[in-house]
Amino acid sequence: MSQAPAIPSATRRRHDREIVALAVPAFGALVAEPLFVMADSAIVGHLGTAQLAGLGVASALLMTAVSVFVFLAYATTAAVSRRVGAGDLRAAIRQGMDGIWLALLLGTAVVIVVLPLAPGLVSLFGTSPTAAPFATTYLRVSALGIPAMLAVLAATGVLRGLQDTRTPLYVAVAGFVANAGLNAVFVYGAGLGIAGSAWGTVIAQWGMATVYLTVVVRGARAHGASLRPDATGIRASARAGVPLLVRTLSLRAILMIATAVAAGLGDADIAAHQIVLSLWSLLAFALDAIAIAGQAIIGRYLGAGDSRGAREACRRMVQWGVATGVVLGLLVVAARPLFLPLFTSDSLVRDNALPALLMVALSQPVCGIVFVLDGVLMGAGDGPYLAWAMVATLAVFTPVALLVPTLGGGLTALWAAMTLMMTVRMLTLWLRARSGRWIVTGATR
């Protein structure tokens, strides 16, 4: 990519407009998602400590289950945008329907597993006897919303593939407002306690899914696409999702290993780690928004057979990723004195978090490249390479992270290992982008 001719200014401006039009609403939708948990926590927290602890355990289980299936959004975006680029909107929406049917099937399977195993899953977290009943109740009720949550992921992928990130933003904001209102009514007005919070979330999730399905069904009818489940198409969606599932599980393993190492360093270190990780995750939303734009734009160019346009868009988005990373890094450095007091008054926790935050700031330009190229390769449907690259990154990170307690350096050394992990990801993704092997044109890869 570095040896390619400079992108003409008119082309840069066109790419910039596309990136902004897709990334800004995508960022808003991404930020709205964790607000669901925050609203639940704010309302349930007034019921008591045991209820809030139960909510924390159940929410962690639910979010883990849903995040594992995020490939439903990624794979669907890539497949739909390719067909949009090829000018076949009927096939694009048909592909999207296959992804939605797969989401509903997977969601139903998860519910069947979770309902009887809820008490055992809660106990795996070492939940206290006082909090366990509340966690079990919340998990069982909320599990009924998992099919809707997965359908929302797939339908979001459909709309992103159709180059529409505004509708997901509107739905996410409306879903947050409905969730907060229903929680308040059911918890306090109806006196249902933590079960009321769960029911409010379930209703909000199914409401969001209904809106998405209405939009997709309307588009299917307008273009003559079938709404019936197609076994061949569902299997194709599942095959496309398997490599991305491996990628996601490898990334989750990295985060779990980092948390386990931090916990072994002591209470002050794990507390500081959670603060740093929360900021790192928040920064990831801004970078992920550019990646989402990359998925939609790259898929469309490749579907249209425009390999040059795909390369130029990739280069421009990398420039956006680096610039955004630099800005975010500077903001982290400048905001440290204001950020840390929001989370803790413990001076030891602050002292441990401070240098770790500097590592996060330094790594942001690298993270910008990683997120963008991740999105580009997803948009190209290059899932098998992404899976291999993430497994290789996990293999490098694991021994380095596990050596942190032995070699010393505390939390700062752990976040240096996290920076190494992102650097390895950057190298593997950059080599792939440079090779051009991800560029496969046509309506299907």
Side-chain angles (χ1 to χ4, degrees):
M1 290 192 302
S2 59
Q3 297 177 349
I7 304 174
S9 59
T11 303
R12 284 201 308 271
R13 288 194 295 272
R14 187 180 77 248
H15 288 316
D16 290 345
R17 287 194 296 269
E18 286 187 328
I19 293 168
V20 170
L22 291 170
V24 172
F27 174 70
L30 289 170
V31 171
E33 291 175 8
L35 293 180
F36 271 80
V37 177
M38 290 179 62
D40 288 2
S41 299
I43 293 171
V44 171
H46 292 287
L47 295 175
T49 301
Q51 287 90 335
L52 184 59
L55 172 66
V57 171
S59 294
L61 286 165
L62 285 167
M63 291 302 101
T64 298
V66 173
S67 66
V68 164
F69 295 109
V70 73
F71 69 83
L72 290 165
Y74 296 156
T76 305
T77 298
V80 171
S81 61
R82 271 185 176 271
R83 286 160 176 79
V84 169
D88 193 346
L89 286 177
R90 179 180 178 180
I93 296 175
R94 174 65 260 183
Q95 180 69 44
M97 285 303 306
D98 292 334
I100 291 172
W101 278 112
L102 175 62
L104 291 171
L105 290 171
L106 290 173
T108 301
V110 173
V111 172
I112 292 171
V113 171
V114 168
L115 287 180
L117 297 181
L121 293 171
V122 168
S123 67
L124 287 176
F125 273 66
T127 313
S128 69
T130 54
F134 297 111
T136 301
T137 297
Y138 190 92
L139 182 59
R140 278 181 166 157
V141 175
S142 293
L144 300 176
I146 289 177
M149 296 169 77
L150 299 191
V152 166
L153 284 177
T156 300
V158 176
L159 295 181
R160 289 173 180 171
L162 294 171
Q163 317 297 295
D164 176 10
T165 56
R166 289 184 179 273
T167 300
L169 171 61
Y170 300 149
V171 176
V173 172
F176 165 70
V177 173
N179 177 65
L182 289 169
N183 269 255
V185 169
F186 290 156
V187 172
Y188 299 120
L192 297 178
I194 195 169
S197 175
W199 279 116
T201 300
V202 168
I203 294 172
Q205 292 289 355
W206 277 107
M208 292 171 65
T210 300
V211 173
Y212 274 119
L213 291 174
T214 300
V215 172
V216 174
V217 167
R218 189 175 297 160
R221 288 176 175 167
H223 296 283
S226 174
L227 298 174
R228 295 181 179 179
D230 177 67
T232 301
I234 293 173
R235 284 196 297 269
S237 296
R239 283 195 299 271
V242 168
L244 297 179
L245 175 62
V246 173
R247 167 200 168 275
T248 301
L249 290 174
S250 299
L251 179 57
R252 297 295 301 182
I254 287 171
L255 297 177
M256 289 175 64
I257 290 169
T259 299
V261 170
L265 295 175
D267 289 348
D269 287 287
I270 185 60
H273 175 72
Q274 289 304 113
I275 294 172
V276 176
L277 185 61
S278 67
L279 177 62
W280 190 77
S281 300
L282 178 62
L283 298 174
F285 285 136
L287 299 174
D288 203 24
I290 305 174
I292 288 169
Q295 293 171 30
I297 293 170
I298 294 298
R300 192 189 74 233
Y301 275 116
L302 294 178
D306 188 354
S307 58
R308 178 179 178 180
R311 284 183 180 274
E312 289 179 345
C314 176
R315 290 177 59 207
R316 189 57 178 163
M317 281 183 284
V318 168
Q319 293 168 359
W320 268 79
V322 173
T324 304
V326 170
V327 171
L328 292 176
L330 292 174
L331 286 175
V332 170
V333 173
R336 285 178 306 151
L338 301 174
F339 177 76
L340 287 174
L342 294 176
F343 288 85
T344 181
S345 58
D346 189 319
S347 59
L348 182 57
V349 173
R350 290 187 191 182
D351 290 343
N352 289 346
L354 204 60
L357 284 174
L358 287 177
M359 294 300 305
V360 169
L362 290 172
S363 70
Q364 287 310 295
V366 173
C367 293
I369 297 173
V370 168
F371 275 82
V372 167
L373 292 182
D374 210 35
V376 166
L377 297 185
M378 283 183 189
D382 204 10
Y385 182 84
L386 289 172
W388 173 87
M390 189 59 80
V391 170
T393 302
L394 173 62
V396 172
F397 172 78
T398 301
V400 174
L402 294 178
L403 282 173
V404 166
T406 302
L407 298 179
L411 192 64
T412 304
L414 177 59
W415 276 91
M418 290 286 284
T419 301
L420 171 65
M421 178 270 293
M422 294 302 291
T423 303
V424 171
R425 287 187 70 190
M426 181 186 69
L427 291 175
T428 58
L429 297 174
W430 178 78
L431 289 172
R432 185 64 167 182
R434 181 182 172 85
S435 73
R437 294 177 183 175
W438 55 278
I439 299 179
V440 179
T441 58
T444 58
R445 183 177 174 86

